[in-house]
Amino acid sequence: MKRLISIAVSLIILTIIYTKIDFLGLIRVFENSDRGWTIASFAMLIPLVLITSWRLQELTPSGVRLRFAEANRLILAASVLNMVLPSKMGDLAKAYFMRDRGHLSGSLALSLVVFEKACDLLSLLLWCIFGLCLYPDKNFLFWVMTVAVSSSFIFGILLLSSRKFAHLFFDLTGRIAPKKIGVKLDKMRFSWGEMHEYFWSDRRQLAKICLTSIFLWFCHLLQIWFFILALKAWTPFLANLALSPLAILAGLMPLTFAGVGTRDAALILFYQPYFNEATGAALGLLCTSRYFIPAIAGLPFLSQYLATVRNFKKS
């Protein structure tokens, strides 16, 4: 039911967007697009998936090292599940895959995936802060977003670096959360503690994973800038570092199907100083393809993990 509601919300938002823009203008934007930049931007999906797979491989302990091909299949299968499970839960399903494949214990697998997603979010916030600090002519809304993003980044760093802060956070949220959510928080508290013990015991490995995540998200944002060039539009790259993360964050809100609708609306809104609404809608479609193409590529591997998905939904 939740998935049907999110699809309905996405369709409503898209209907509002496409009734207000020049639809013929949107078609002309694609007709006049630069083929070279289009090919280059879509080609970036390959190294993005490969780097993500290598990072997942590096996250696992040396004694139970994932093969690169297996890590690649896990990443692509998770991309499929992210299209049907809410709030990027497909990424968490990777923990169940790794456990059932015999690579890791369930709690350690969950802690690795949680750390991977935390690194992704913090890297995205870091580039967003960098771009927002250099963004010219910030109005009140942008100052509010700068403070909000910076606060979220500091909060995330404290959760990852301080066991005392993490314990306090889980303790307070566990007290006010409903009982069903409280049980999940208790499991997360245990996995979070195991994650702290695992990663902070090897600072060199921790630094390698963090730097890889920062570079990976630089490449993600660079791909979006390539999309803009493919549409024969222009945005300064530093401005893109501020605006594209904000649109991605809008798409992460669990309101719509795979971020479709909220992400499109955010792109149109934030990029208004640089190009028209038709180009913003076209950029939204290209950004959505960043999620659909890996999901399509992951379909052949999904059948291997269907039993795990059923157990994941039950749990």
Side-chain angles (χ1 to χ4, degrees):
M1 178 60 70
K2 291 181 180 179
R3 182 52 38 176
L4 291 176
I5 293 174
S6 65
I7 292 174
V9 173
S10 289
L11 290 175
I12 291 171
I13 296 175
L14 289 178
T15 300
I16 295 172
I17 290 174
Y18 288 118
T19 53
K20 290 190 174 183
I21 67 170
D22 179 9
F23 190 74
L24 292 178
L26 173 63
I27 296 175
R28 285 194 295 268
V29 169
F30 281 117
E31 288 177 342
N32 297 328
S33 61
D34 187 289
R35 292 185 180 180
W37 280 114
T38 301
I39 294 172
S41 56
F42 280 113
M44 284 194 69
L45 287 171
I46 298 173
L48 287 173
V49 171
L50 295 179
I51 294 172
T52 306
S53 301
W54 178 82
R55 184 183 61 176
L56 180 62
Q57 187 184 28
E58 289 295 310
L59 279 169
T60 57
S62 57
V64 287
R65 181 74 70 186
L66 271 175
R67 291 183 295 110
F68 182 76
E70 180 73 10
N72 208 21
R73 288 194 291 269
L74 283 172
I75 294 297
L76 293 174
S79 298
V80 182
L81 294 177
N82 280 334
M83 307 305 297
V84 295
L85 296 178
S87 302
K88 295 289 183 178
M89 294 299 286
D91 288 313
L92 292 181
K94 285 188 297 189
Y96 290 80
F97 294 158
M98 295 166 72
R99 181 201 64 186
D100 284 9
R101 288 292 191 176
H103 296 297
L104 299 168
S105 66
S107 60
L108 181 56
L110 179 60
S111 67
L112 294 183
V113 174
V114 168
F115 181 77
E116 178 193 32
K117 293 299 102 185
C119 282
D120 276 337
L121 181 58
L122 289 175
S123 298
L124 178 63
L125 292 176
L126 179 63
W127 285 116
C128 188
I129 292 169
F130 179 75
L132 284 171
C133 288
L134 299 177
Y135 190 77
D137 302 325
K138 284 193 285 288
N139 55 26
F140 178 75
L141 175 61
F142 272 87
W143 279 115
V144 170
M145 289 188 292
T146 302
V147 172
V149 171
S150 301
S151 300
S152 300
F153 178 77
I154 294 171
F155 177 79
I157 290 293
L158 287 173
L159 272 181
L160 283 181
S161 61
S162 172
R163 290 190 179 186
K164 291 182 178 180
F165 184 84
H167 178 77
L168 178 64
F169 168 75
F170 284 113
D171 185 52
L172 291 176
T173 52
R175 291 180 182 179
I176 62 177
K179 185 177 181 180
K180 187 176 180 180
I181 297 177
V183 173
K184 295 180 179 180
L185 286 172
D186 284 337
K187 294 180 181 179
M188 184 65 71
R189 183 206 300 265
F190 179 79
S191 296
W192 202 267
E194 191 169 6
M195 179 269 294
H196 269 279
E197 183 177 351
Y198 175 72
F199 284 104
W200 286 100
S201 62
D202 188 346
R203 301 291 179 89
R204 185 176 180 181
Q205 178 74 355
L206 177 66
K208 179 168 66 173
I209 297 301
C210 291
L211 290 174
T212 300
S213 300
I214 293 171
F215 173 72
L216 179 64
W217 272 96
F218 174 83
C219 293
H220 277 293
L221 303 180
L222 181 64
Q223 183 191 35
I224 294 175
W225 191 60
F226 282 179
F227 282 149
I228 295 173
L229 299 181
L231 297 174
K232 292 186 177 179
W234 173 251
T235 301
F237 183 66
L238 290 179
N240 182 70
L241 288 179
L243 301 177
S244 54
L246 292 175
I248 292 173
L249 291 171
L252 292 178
M253 293 189 296
L255 300 173
T256 55
F257 174 72
V260 176
T262 49
R263 184 173 52 246
D264 300 73
L267 288 168
I268 293 172
L269 173 66
F270 293 139
Y271 282 92
Q272 273 185 341
Y274 300 102
F275 42 75
N276 58 32
E277 293 179 346
T279 304
L283 180 59
L285 292 173
L286 291 178
C287 287
T288 298
S289 70
R290 287 169 22 88
Y291 304 94
F292 275 97
I293 292 176
I296 293 171
L299 285 174
F301 309 119
L302 187 61
S303 60
Q304 304 173 30
Y305 306 110
L306 285 179
T308 303
V309 174
R310 295 189 189 99
N311 293 333
F312 173 76
K313 286 185 175 181
K314 291 179 182 179
S315 62

